[in-house]
Amino acid sequence: MKAFLLPSLIAASLTAVPAVSQETPRAWSLDTGGDLSAFLDCMEARQRTIVSAHRGGPTPGLPENSIEAMDALLHAAPAIMEIDVAQSSDGVLFLLHDDRLDRTTTGRGTAAQQQWADLAKLRLRDEAGWTTPYGIPTLAQALAWAKGRTVLQIDFKPSASYDNTIAAIRDADMQHSVVLIAYSVASAVRLHRLAPDMTISLSINRFDALAEAIEAGIPSDRIVAFTGTRLPQPDLYAALDESDVEVIFGTLGGAQSIDRQIGDLGIDERYADLGAAGVDIIATDRPREAAEALAEAGRLAGEGICGASRR
C-alpha cells in the first residue's frame, strides 16, 4: 500500500519516530508591482519563461475555470491563469468556457440565458465528468483571489460585455495584472480605447501584423503577441523581441496539440526548448509539466525573481 493513502496506519507504526512538520506548502505568487510591462520585460531579461494555465489549469477533481484549480496550481508552480468570462442574463460576469452548461456543470441549456441566482446553484464537473463540490465563480471573486497572486488572461465569451468586464477589473484594482485577449485588430482597438492602461494579447502570426496594430493606434508596449498553436517561429520571435513585444505561444489544443505530442512522446524538455527559442509565455494544458521542465532548464521564475515569491 502507498503511504499517502493510509497516513493514520503509518503514524501508528512509527510512534518512536519524532513527528515531522506537515505544514501546507507555500503558494507561489507573481506580483507585477503595478507595471505588467516592466514585469514581463524583467522576466525576459532574466531569460525566464512564464507558464500560462489554460482555463486555470484543471486537474482531476478540480474543474476548469475554478478558483480551486487555480489555487492548487499556484501551490505547485508559479503561473499566470487564462480564464473565460461570460455574462448572465441579469448582468453578472462569471467564469465558464462553453456557451452551454451541460459539459462543465450540473446544469443544462445556454448559460447566458440564465439568471445568476440559478447559475449560482450549480456545481462544476471536472474533466472526467464527475460532479465536484465547487460552484461557478464570479469574475469579481476570481479577481479578488488573484490580486497580488497572479496575472489573469481574460478570454471574452460572446455574452461578456467589454465595458462591464473592464469596470470589474478596475473595481478590483487589477488593471495592471490582467491581459485582455483579442482575436482581431478591430477588437484590440476597441479594448484599447476602453482600457488604454491595460495589456492586450493580440494574434500575430507575421511581423507586419504588429505594424498594422500599431498603425491602428495600439502602442507596442500594450501588446503581447499570441503567435499561434501549431508551428514555432523563432525568426518572428526575434523580430518581436527587437520591438520589445513579448511572445505567447500555445501548446494547447486537444488531441492534435503540441501538449499531447509532448506528453505522448515523453519529451517535456521541449517546453524549455520553446523558451530558449524566444517564447516568453507558454499557454498550455499541462502547466505543471511545463513548469517542471522549465525549472530543470533554469528557465522558470524562482523566488525573488521579477516579483515571483512563495508565501
Side-chain angles (χ1 to χ4, degrees), residues 215-282:
E215 186 176 348
I218 310 167
S220 61
D221 65 354
R222 288 289 175 263
I223 298 173
V224 291
F226 184 80
T227 60
T229 61
R230 295 301 176 197
L231 182 66
Q233 302 182 68
D235 290 344
L236 174 59
Y237 306 156
L240 291 168
D241 183 53
E242 286 293 318
S243 297
D244 197 25
V245 172
E246 278 74 29
V247 170
I248 304 176
F249 180 72
T251 55
L252 48 84
Q256 302 303 314
S257 70
I258 292 175
D259 273 337
R260 180 62 66 86
Q261 295 173 35
I262 288 174
D264 287 348
L265 295 173
I267 50 173
D268 287 355
E269 64 272 14
R270 291 293 181 264
Y271 294 114
D273 293 343
L274 286 170
V279 174
D280 300 299
I281 301 171
I282 298 175

Side-chain angles (χ1 to χ4, degrees), residues 117-137:
D118 295 319
L119 293 169
K121 297 174 184 176
L122 303 177
R123 300 297 95 184
L124 291 171
R125 299 185 191 277
D126 72 2
E127 293 173 305
W130 292 99
T131 300
T132 73
Y134 312 121
I136 301 172

Side-chain angles (χ1 to χ4, degrees), residues 36-37 40-41 44 153 178-180 182 184-185 188-189 192 195-227 240-241 243-248 280-281:
L36 180 56
S37 180
L40 295 174
D41 286 344
E44 183 179 15
Q153 284 188 274
V178 296
V179 176
L180 309 177
S184 69
V185 172
V189 167
H192 181 66
D197 52 342
M198 298 186 200
T199 299
I200 296 169
S201 167
L202 177 61
S203 298
I204 295 178
N205 282 309
R206 63 188 197 287
F207 185 71
D208 57 359
L210 175 62
E212 292 172 9
I214 294 172
E215 186 176 348
I218 310 167
S220 61
D221 65 354
R222 288 289 175 263
I223 298 173
V224 291
F226 184 80
T227 60
L240 291 168
D241 183 53
S243 297
D244 197 25
V245 172
E246 278 74 29
V247 170
I248 304 176
D280 300 299
I281 301 171

